[in-house]
């Protein structure tokens, strides 16, 4: 049994084995399917969540290791002002195409803006370098983050 | 089903390590990939797991006698100076929540900082640790090459005490390290003096989030316009990172000599030494021929950069 | 009134951004028997395949690459587990995957193995560990034959022929004029060999499907571009009638052609397993299985020989276009047709002979990938034109201009270019944006910098009379009693935008708001077959049907009444095609484009850095600028990846060597700069609001522009892609 604070709610989860992944807790046990499995090897960023406020790939984390941690998933982010703004900017700028990488992109973008309110384009690109997108060529994702930077002056 | 342990003190960790021979597990970014299983199945770990990331002494970085001591679980994002890792704010960087002293971070040698910054991407660096990179002992491990260039020493602890071992003796081969069944990698010691000049060049499979085809890490201490000591370490050109000591003695004995003609001669000589030592392979990421040719090309680039530094010091 | 091109926020954007969009791996049993999600978008409940006793399915794949099957021994199955193989194909069904006209690929391997990883059996059950145990207990014995890894070994008939007598699946030949005569009288001949490698589609969501059985009805749902292709394949394999099959496309995490053919290859055996066991089965491929065993872009080798007169003018071209089709023909013939029909690029060549061959090897069957043959042969002709211009000591753009096609010219198949061709306008814009010509002169040659320009044409829609004879697309608009309008068609939005553009087309005609138009993911129980979501046909063909339907609905609109209008595809007037002789209008119309790429080359490491990318296209008219720009940015990124990074090799067993995300390199956010892009309007009469197809041509030319730039930077001919540093080192040291 592990305890996690997921999107602000205390959750207790019975894990089937000790190295059960955080991604599986979220998707299989809690039913939060916003974080996706793109590779299972930490290469694509589709499973990104914030762990104690820090961007991580949830496919590489045994849930038992982070017992008692605070987790923010794409669903949780979407409930916040920051998440709503980012989602709107992604939608307007067409930063989402097939959408499979988008929740992970949102997490990476949010972590960037939480720590750097006015990132340059180079900083945005570097912050998103672990989130692979095959549809957009990234440029409209960059547009979305830049728009969120401008519009969210009071949020970040 | 494997057992997992989350010790709350170093003493407890060492006891578990000694009793159970549990695998020390920090960020898990290599281990979780290596033991990955298919959907619906548990990762295929065979040995018990010892989570060492939460112990404070593994997460420190501090000055020590003019050198640096880096805790084995320190995430690469902190060494790399990633924005989230050092800026504070909502994201406080590495998941341990430790925010090291900015003055200490400023002393991290350029070669280590640059190498750490080219490992994976931000989310991975937030979990991947310097001790884990060492334990993985990949010849393409970026922080390993940098640590070779910095003549790092690895401090291993066990119930019977502490042992310090030079990195060149610690890494035995791909995935093989000199770690006894009761020992844990505790600290990486970068001895004084910290270098005045460093060089890092990674030739990766792409511009970011890439694996290394070949790398060169180099460092030098400069005194009165002369190379007092230096080091050249090549990554991914053999079963281990290779340090070419002959280049080092060459540069120590011959510098300062910055005339172009002499420089070419020195570079040619350096290449000759390296050429006999590096033995790369063909694999899915690159070819042996490419690796060797580029490794030799980088020597010239690094020596030219060192000469520039010496000129500046004049 | 605002231009239709003015962008609107993506209607599918919010659900994708907030994580609520459900992909096949996200679907869970909700405790109901049937029904749809509150927004109506997702079919739920056990009637739609989602029940609590859903099994997990995995393939047993041949570890051997080639040989006769001597024995297949399946282990005893514990209760609740199923092992399905060729022997389980029900009576009336056929052990064949129907793909275009080809029927050579079996659903389950039965007599022979043709590639390592070929599907032999499917194991289904509740527990992954037991499934794994059963897979390991399967015994397959094969009399092994030497493996054919590439075109050369295939043509040398290594180990005997894999297919027929000569390993040639199919040929596509075109002839115009007396080629041998012209060559005999030529002042000089320029010859070049141009090669392209495999390319992985690399959709972010792996292949995933669910199959289930409800009484005498078989269902398949999940990640797919073409629900009616899957429908057809299931019908063929199970021997079921049209209304005994239901296929639902779910939100799909990228396709690029990779979910055109593979969902048939995967869905047919999965449907058999579900049909036989009576259980719903979900199969999700992990990344390694997906990269190792799903279809890739055909590797190609094109040989161009040009006969020149004493002034250096092209008199005739004699070319061969060879595609590595892999182990089974599948879509190779139609990919080859497109490759051959695009093999002279945007140039009018008076006399030519083109010989196209689809060749059998023991690699994974090659399949659909954005561009569908055109990126291969366009690379060949563009690099060949570079070579000829170089021989003539002539600026390549000036040289190419002499041959540009214009309205009224004859196509390679003897059809007519009926619409305006505005290449000169596109070039003017590309020059303005990129400064190409000035830089081309300034940068010199072999000095580490270069800029290249490539030209693209892309035939829109199915080749020849495919739309008329094979697809027979049909689209329906249904007005509900509450006056909400619903789009009923089989087009899938896998990121390329019909959720946005179709709504805009219908809304614009009817004078309503796009976001009030209902457009759910297709479910064959409810939508007609408007054709597959492929071939740059979606906005032009299906979008146009919807525009016409909306116009009809507007004319008969009665408030508060349910009304249904249907539109069927009709070939544009004047178009004709002879499939036997491959003569006539191979495409209804063409998209056109100019790509420019600027690079720097590091002489220490032979790494290239793209420092500028520009793209100008004639897409008819953009129905949404951002949708179009998204296609351009993404397509250029893929094309530059194809040219520069995406190395995919095979090992001694013919298996791919780069099968993880750590080893197969697609571009990240820092690899390439933003593509500065523009479209020039040139509306097409039979496309939605003037739109032509454009989803593929954005992947047709970036790699050639890149290679041309690298040629200038390194001073040597670059005739093979990807131009990874290892390859460039060999080129420069040769």
């Amino acid at each position: 049994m592990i305890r996690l604070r997921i999107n602000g709610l205390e959750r207790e989860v019975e894990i089937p084995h000790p190295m059960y992944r955080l991604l599986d807790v979220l998707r299989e046990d809690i039913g939060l399917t916003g974080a996706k499995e793109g590779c299972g090897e930490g290469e694509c960023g589709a499973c990104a969540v914030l762990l104690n406020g820090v961007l991580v790939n949830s496919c590489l984390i045994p849930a038992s290791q982070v017992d008692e941690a605070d987790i923010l998933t794409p669903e949780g982010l979407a409930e916040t002002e920051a998440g709503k703004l980012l989602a709107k900017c992604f939608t307007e700028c067409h930063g989402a195409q097939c959408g499979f990488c988008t929740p992970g992109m949102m997490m990476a973008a949010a972590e960037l803006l939480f720590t750097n309110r006015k990132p340059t384009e180079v900083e945005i690109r570097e912050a998103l370098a672990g989130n692979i997108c095959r549809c957009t060529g990234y440029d409209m994702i960059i547009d979305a983050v830049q728009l969120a930077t401008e519009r969210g002056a009071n949020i970040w | 089903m494997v057992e997992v342990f989350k010790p709350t003190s170093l003493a407890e960790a060492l006891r578990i390590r000694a009793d159970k021979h549990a695998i020390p597990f920090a960020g898990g970014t290599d281990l979780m990939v290596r033991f990955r299983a298919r959907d619906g199945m548990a990762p295929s770990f065979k040995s018990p797991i010892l989570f060492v990331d939460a112990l404070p002494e593994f997460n420190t970085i501090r000055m020590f006698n003019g050198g640096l001591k880096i805790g084995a679980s320190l995430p690469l994002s902190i060494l790399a100076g990633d924005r989230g890792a050092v800026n504070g704010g909502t994201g406080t960087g590495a998941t341990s929540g430790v925010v090291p002293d900015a003055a200490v971070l400023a002393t991290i040698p350029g070669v280590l900082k640059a190498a750490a910054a080219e490992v994976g991407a931000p989310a991975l660096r937030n979990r991947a640790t310097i001790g884990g990179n060492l334990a993985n002992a990949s010849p393409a491990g970026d922080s390993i090459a940098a640590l070779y260039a910095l003549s790092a020493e690895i401090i291993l602890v066990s119930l019977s005490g502490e042992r310090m071992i030079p990195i060149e003796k610690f890494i035995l081969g791909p995935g093989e390290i000199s770690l006894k069944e009761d020992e844990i990698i505790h600290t990486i010691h970068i001895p004084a003096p910290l270098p005045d000049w460093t060089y890092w060049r990674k030739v990766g499979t792409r511009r970011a989030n890439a694996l290394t085809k070949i790398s060169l890490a180099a460092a030098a201490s400069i005194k009165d316009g002369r190379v007092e000591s230096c080091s050249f370490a090549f990554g991914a050109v053999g079963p281990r990172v290779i340090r070419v000591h002959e280049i080092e003695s060459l540069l120590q004995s011959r510098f300062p000599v910055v005339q172009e003609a002499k420089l070419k001669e020195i570079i040619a000589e350096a290449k000759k030494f390296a050429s006999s030592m590096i033995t790369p392979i063909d694999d899915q990421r690159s070819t042996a021929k490419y690796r060797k040719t580029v490794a030799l090309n980088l020597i010239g680039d690094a020596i030219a950069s060192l000469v520039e530094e010496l000129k500046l010091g004049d | 009134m605002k231009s239709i091109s003015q962008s609107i926020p993506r209607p599918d954007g919010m659900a994708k951004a907030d994580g609520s969009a459900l992909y096949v791996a996200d679907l869970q049993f909700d405790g109901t028997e049937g029904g749809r999600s509150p927004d109506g978008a997702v079919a739920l409940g056990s009637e739609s395949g989602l029940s609590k006793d859903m099994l997990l399915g995995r393939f047993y794949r041949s570890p051997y690459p080639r040989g006769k099957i001597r024995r297949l021994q399946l282990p005893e199955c514990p209760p609740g587990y199923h092992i399905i193989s060729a022997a389980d194909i029900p009576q009336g069904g056929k052990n064949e995957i129907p793909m275009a006209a080809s029927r050579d690929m079996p659903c389950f391997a039965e007599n022979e193995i043709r590639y390592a990883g070929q599907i032999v059996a499917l194991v289904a059950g509740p527990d992954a560990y037991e499934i794994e145990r059963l897979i390991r207990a399967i015994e397959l014995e094969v009399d092994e034959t030497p493996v054919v890894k590439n075109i050369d070994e295939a043509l040398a008939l290594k180990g005997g022929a894999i297919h027929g007598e000569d390993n040639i699946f199919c040929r596509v030949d075109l002839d115009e004029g007396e080629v041998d005569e012209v060559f005999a009288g030529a002042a000089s001949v320029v010859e070049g060999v141009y090669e392209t490698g495999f390319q992985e589609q690399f959709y972010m969501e792996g292949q995933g499907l669910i199959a289930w059985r409800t009484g005498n009805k078989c269902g398949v749902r999940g990640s797919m571009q073409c629900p009616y292709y899957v429908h057809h394949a299931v019908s063929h394999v199970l021997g079921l009638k049209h209304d005994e099959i239901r296929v639902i496309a779910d939100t799909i995490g990228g396709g690029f052609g990779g979910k055109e053919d593979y969902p048939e290859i995967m869905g047919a055996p999965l449907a058999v397993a579900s049909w036989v066991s009576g259980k719903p089965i979900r199969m999700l491929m992990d990344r390694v299985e997906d990269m190792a065993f799903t279809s890739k872009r055909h590797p190609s080798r094109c040989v161009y020989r040009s006969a020149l007169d004493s002034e250096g003018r092209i008199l005739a071209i004699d070319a061969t276009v060879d595609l590595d089709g892999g182990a089974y023909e599948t879509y190779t013939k139609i990919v080859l047709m497109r490759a051959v029909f695009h093999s002279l690029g945007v140039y009018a060549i008076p006399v030519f002979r083109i010989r196209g061959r689809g060749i059998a090897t023991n690699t994974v069957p090659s399949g659909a990938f954005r561009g569908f043959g055109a990126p291969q042969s366009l690379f060949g002709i563009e690099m060949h034109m570079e070579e000829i211009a170089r021989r003539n000591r002539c600026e390549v753009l000036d040289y190419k201009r002499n041959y540009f096609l214009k309205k009224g010219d004859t196509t390679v198949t003897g059809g007519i270019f009926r619409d305006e061709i505005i290449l000169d306008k596109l070039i003017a814009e590309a020059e303005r944006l990129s400064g190409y010509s000035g830089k081309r002169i300034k940068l010199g040659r072999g000095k580490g910098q270069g800029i290249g320009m490539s030209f693209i044409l892309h035939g829109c829609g199915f080749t020849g009379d495919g739309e008329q004879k094979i697809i027979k697309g049909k689209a329906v608009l249904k007005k509900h009693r509450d006056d909400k309008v619903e789009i009923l068609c089989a087009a899938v939005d896998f990121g390329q935008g019909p959720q946005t553009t179709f709504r805009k087309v219908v809304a614009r005609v009817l004078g309503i708001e796009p976001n009030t138009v209902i457009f759910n993911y297709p479910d064959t129980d409810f939508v007609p077959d408007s054709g597959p979501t492929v071939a740059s046909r979606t906005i032009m063909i299906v979008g146009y049907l919807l525009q016409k339907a909306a116009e009809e609905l507007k004319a008969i609109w009665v408030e508060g009444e349910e009304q249904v209008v249907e539109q069927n595809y009709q070939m544009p007037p004047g178009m004709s095609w002879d499939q036997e002789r491959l003569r006539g209008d191979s495409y209804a119309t063409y998209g056109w484009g100019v790509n420019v790429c600027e690079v720097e080359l590091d002489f220490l490491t032979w790494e290239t850095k793209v420092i500028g990318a520009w793209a100008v296209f004639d897409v008819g008219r953009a129905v949404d600028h951002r949708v179009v720009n998204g296609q351009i940015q993404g397509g250029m990124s893929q094309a530059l990846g194809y040219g520069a990074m995406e190395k995919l090799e095979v090992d001694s067993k013919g298996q791919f060597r780069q099968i993880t995300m750590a080893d197969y390199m697609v571009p990240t956010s820092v690899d390439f700069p933003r593509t500065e892009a523009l479209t020039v309007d040139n509306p097409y009469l039979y496309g939605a609001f003037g739109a032509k197809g454009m989803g593929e041509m954005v992947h047709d030319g970036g790699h050639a522009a890149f290679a041309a730039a690298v040629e200038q930077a390194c001073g040597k001919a670059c005739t093979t892609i990807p131009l990874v540093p290892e390859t460039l080192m060999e080129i420069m040291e040769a």
Side-chain angles (χ1 to χ4, degrees), chain B residues 39 42 206 284-286 290, chain C residues 58 129 602 605 663 666 726:
Chain B
D39 186 24
R206 63 184 162 203
Q284 73 275 28
R285 291 178 199 139
S286 190
Y290 176 82
Chain C
R58 292 239 163 99
Y129 294 92
D602 183 334
T605 62
D663 286 333
V666 297
E726 289 78 2

Side-chain angles (χ1 to χ4, degrees), chain B residues 74-246:
Chain B
L74 198 75
L76 296 177
S77 55
I78 290 193
L79 292 172
D82 285 358
R83 65 208 148 64
V86 288
N87 280 7
T90 313
T92 48
T95 50
S96 66
V98 175
V99 183
D101 183 352
V104 177
L105 293 179
T107 67
I108 296 171
V111 63
L112 179 59
K113 184 172 173 168
E118 288 201 59
V119 174
L124 191 97
R125 290 196 292 272
N126 281 335
R127 293 294 293 173
T129 66
I130 187 160
N133 208 210
L134 269 176
N136 197 44
S138 161
D142 291 327
S143 68
I144 299 183
L147 293 176
Y148 264 73
L150 295 169
S151 304
E153 296 159 329
I154 316 303
I155 299 170
L156 310 168
V157 292
S158 68
L159 285 177
S160 43
E162 207 177 275
R163 171 163 85 98
M164 186 149 89
I165 177 170
I167 187 164
E168 286 182 74
K169 296 229 164 76
F170 179 70
I171 309 260
L172 303 174
E176 279 181 65
I177 51 176
S178 168
L179 186 74
K180 293 179 188 148
E181 281 188 324
D182 61 346
E183 283 178 335
I184 299 176
I185 306 174
H186 183 278
T187 299
I188 289 86
H189 178 223
I190 299 171
L194 295 179
D196 303 297
W197 167 89
T198 65
Y199 177 92
W200 170 253
R201 179 73 190 259
K202 164 173 172 165
V203 181
T205 44
R206 63 184 162 203
R207 306 193 78 81
N209 199 4
L211 290 161
T212 300
K213 292 176 183 176
I214 185 250
S215 63
L216 172 56
S221 290
I222 295 168
K223 200 172 180 189
D224 304 329
R226 300 181 63 92
V227 175
E228 196 169 55
S229 65
C230 71
S231 57
F232 276 67
F234 297 87
V237 292
R240 294 186 288 171
V241 170
I242 289 162
R243 196 163 147 181
V244 183
H245 293 282
E246 287 84 350

Side-chain angles (χ1 to χ4, degrees), chain A residues 17-18 53-55 60 65 115 130, chain B residues 2 6 26 42 53 87 91 93 126-127:
Chain A
H17 54 81
V54 174
L55 187 74
L60 293 185
Q65 188 183 19
T115 53
Chain B
V2 298
K6 284 185 86 171
D53 56 310
N87 280 7
N126 281 335
R127 293 294 293 173

